[in-house]
Amino acid sequence: SHYSPTADAQAAIGRAGVVIEVMQDAGMITAEQAASVKPAKVKLAGDKAQDSVRYFTDWALPQLESLIDETEKPIDVWTTLDLGMQRAGTNAIKNGVPAGAQGALVTLDRDGAVRAMVGGTDYAKSNYNRAVTALRQPGSSWKLFVYLTAIEGGYRPEDKVEDKPVTIGGWTPKNSGGNFAGEITLRTAFSYSKNTVAAQLGEELGTSSISNMARRFGITTPISTGPAMVLGSSETRVIEMTRAFASVAARGRSVTPYAISKVTTIDGDVIYKHKPPKQVQLVEDYVAGAMTDLMQSAVAGGTGGAAQIGRPVAGKTGTTSSNKDGWFLGFSSGLTTGVWMGRDDARPVGNLQGGHAPARAWGNYMRIAVANRPVEHFATDVSFPERLEEDTAAEGEEEILVDENGMPIEGEPLPTVHSPDDAIEPEQVDDEFIDRALGRNRGQVDPGSVEDEPTPQ
């Protein structure tokens, strides 16, 4: 890329002269042939307005420094980029963004391979890579972490929640359209991106728990723990949000993006080969399955309807205040793609909503990206763990006393209560009871224990 005529024409001419000399020295061409070549007189083709592959190579090639040792031999670098997907992504962003806005797109395969990366509408005009560098508010796409936390905390898609006016710490969230639906299911709240429900979940679950969930799924940027964080007020990157959605698609297992699959010398010797990092189970299968179920509903009949592509899709829209940012992130047939649109100066963009231009661009791109892949149905038929309604022993089981390390203490077990009809009043847990349970006489002290003030006799 340093010697590209579009980057430095004089460097390209100079390098061409070096190559010709080496070809002559190697006996590949004669001195007469070398002398007949005049690199400075070569007419360059007009620069194409779109060269979006450079967004990817600008990001990928610097990674070589940490992957291989310096070598004098020429090398071949094999990357994960799929040129067909890159071309489709470029067209989707270039033709899909509102006037005056920018856009970005990232696609990850199921193993984390980056198949497409578009950092803007025109690399020749701006080489700023909005896919991996720009920090933007994710809006309601951040609700991925809110609902992951809720499901892990015991919520189920069909549980009832209430869409109603709420005020938390002086903050009063509003729904798009300003209306309230009353009692609805968690599925409906997610599908229609109800802000008031997300706010209530944040208050109940704790915003620090939601922040920890985002960290678990690969978000590295600073995260506010104020009540408004549930609506995506903390800035993040497109590639990190895409990675988080890809990890849900992987049934809750971590996905790590990578760009270089192998490096060989010009002789064919392999000096680097990508080794997949060990996957970490970020959430249980049932949590990821239920989350996928909610996201599938959001596309099938909710805010993400414009992203339908004729095969199973799971995803989430995102829109920030005053329409400054629009997002759609989702997955289908093993590919996870994130799309962002907005202005670099963060000014409002008329009618920019995640369910409009970003979702349409996502759909237009993904129809092409998955065309040669088999249709895959999501693993959403999951078994939830039994809810602990009461902290009582199962029938026929005996409750025992345990010490501070969880080890059983020999002594008299507590009576098991089977039903209200045969309930037995539990024995009073006083000093005498504890002495008998521990098998010690009054006045003795366990070895190694610290004695408190004497108990009055």
Side-chain angles (χ1 to χ4, degrees), residues 20 61 92 156 262 320 322 362 365:
I20 292 168
L61 293 183
R156 306 292 181 261
K262 70 175 180 179
T320 62
S322 301
W362 188 97
Y365 162 72

Side-chain angles (χ1 to χ4, degrees), residues 5 19 25 62 86 91 97 104 127 148 257 280 287 302 323 383 389 396 438:
V19 171
D25 293 341
Q86 181 71 16
N91 291 334
V97 298
N127 61 10
L148 280 170
V280 177
V287 177
N323 303 100
S383 297
E389 302 293 349
L438 295 175

Side-chain angles (χ1 to χ4, degrees), residues 104 106 130-131 134 236-243 327 329 338 340:
V106 174
R130 296 155 188 85
T236 187
R237 299 181 177 91
V238 176
I239 194 169
E240 291 190 354
M241 288 296 292
T242 306
R243 176 189 185 183
W327 297 69
L329 301 108
W340 165 86

